Amino acid sequence: MMADLIAYYYTTLIESLRFFQGDEGLIRDLFRVQIDKRNILSLLKGKDSNLERDLITKHLVKGGNISIDDLFEIFGSKSNEEFVSKIQKHYNLSDYLKETYTKTNSMIDFEVAFDKFISKSYLKRLKNIPLSLGSIFHFILTAEYEWDNIKRIAYGKRYNFSLERIKSMLVLETE
């Protein structure tokens, strides 16, 4: 049920962002990237848990920039390095992954790397669109990242992570 609700949410969201003022294209692209992030994280979880392809298919959302067939090509990777190299064809995450994910192979580090990529690629552009939908989404995304950062700091303190490790998990807006 949750997978269907999420698919419905993203489908409706993308359809509702039609070109009324001409600045919705960036926001539509942002949500397609968010769908890809969700799908790739689902693949990572499925691969980590040795789940069957049919079960994973139920958790993938259509509408991203990466087709379902391409996602399953990525899923067929033999190693994490191959998985990451196949994702690199679609999103250049190398600057963000080399710091932690390649060392830990932790899904948390992969998610943080993807969030940093999204932040660097979209937040500044959204912020600079004058008085539009972009400004609203900039505010919403910034608030979400701040909330995620607070949770990561709290979890890091709870599990006695080093300050350096906690800092590596934070997503900050870069200028």
Side-chain angles (χ1 to χ4, degrees):
M1 185 171 108
M2 288 303 294
D4 287 339
L5 284 173
I6 290 169
Y8 174 77
Y9 166 74
Y10 280 113
T11 302
T12 306
L13 180 66
I14 295 292
E15 288 174 2
S16 69
L17 289 170
R18 297 181 195 253
F19 288 92
F20 295 116
Q21 295 180 324
D23 59 356
E24 295 86 4
L26 178 64
I27 297 164
R28 287 172 62 99
D29 189 46
L30 168 67
F31 286 118
R32 286 188 179 104
V33 173
Q34 291 280 8
I35 291 170
D36 287 339
K37 174 188 152 195
R38 178 176 171 37
N39 286 341
I40 290 168
L41 288 171
S42 293
L43 291 179
L44 269 175
K45 291 174 189 175
K47 192 163 196 52
D48 192 47
S49 302
N50 294 319
L51 298 178
E52 296 292 322
R53 179 182 170 133
D54 294 338
L55 183 59
I56 294 169
T57 301
K58 295 177 184 177
H59 295 278
L60 298 179
V61 177
K62 293 179 183 174
N65 292 319
I66 304 174
S67 71
I68 300 297
D69 291 337
D70 288 347
L71 287 168
F72 277 112
E73 180 187 329
I74 293 169
F75 181 70
S77 303
K78 303 285 186 238
S79 65
N80 282 339
E81 292 78 22
E82 185 182 347
F83 188 96
V84 168
S85 71
K86 287 183 178 181
I87 291 170
Q88 296 291 80
K89 294 175 188 174
H90 303 279
Y91 298 104
N92 186 6
L93 303 174
S94 59
D95 291 343
Y96 309 103
L97 292 174
K98 68 182 176 186
E99 295 173 13
T100 53
Y101 179 72
T102 53
K103 297 174 188 171
T104 65
N105 290 325
S106 165
M107 282 184 277
I108 293 167
D109 292 326
F110 188 89
E111 182 177 13
V112 169
F114 217 118
D115 284 341
K116 286 179 180 181
F117 168 80
I118 292 169
S119 174
K120 183 162 176 71
S121 302
Y122 290 95
L123 280 184
K124 187 175 182 182
R125 291 166 56 197
L126 288 171
K127 183 179 185 178
N128 290 332
I129 298 175
L131 296 176
S132 71
L133 207 53
S135 303
I136 295 167
F137 280 103
H138 173 268
F139 175 80
I140 292 169
L141 283 174
T142 302
E144 281 185 24
Y145 287 140
E146 288 173 356
W147 176 242
D148 287 344
N149 285 343
I150 291 169
K151 289 189 294 187
R152 289 176 180 143
I153 291 167
Y155 287 133
K157 293 288 189 185
R158 167 71 175 97
Y159 294 107
N160 296 318
F161 289 172
S162 68
L163 184 58
E164 181 181 306
R165 175 71 174 124
I166 293 171
K167 284 182 180 180
S168 75
M169 296 186 318
L170 302 180
V171 176
L172 306 171
E173 184 176 356
T174 56
E175 291 296 319

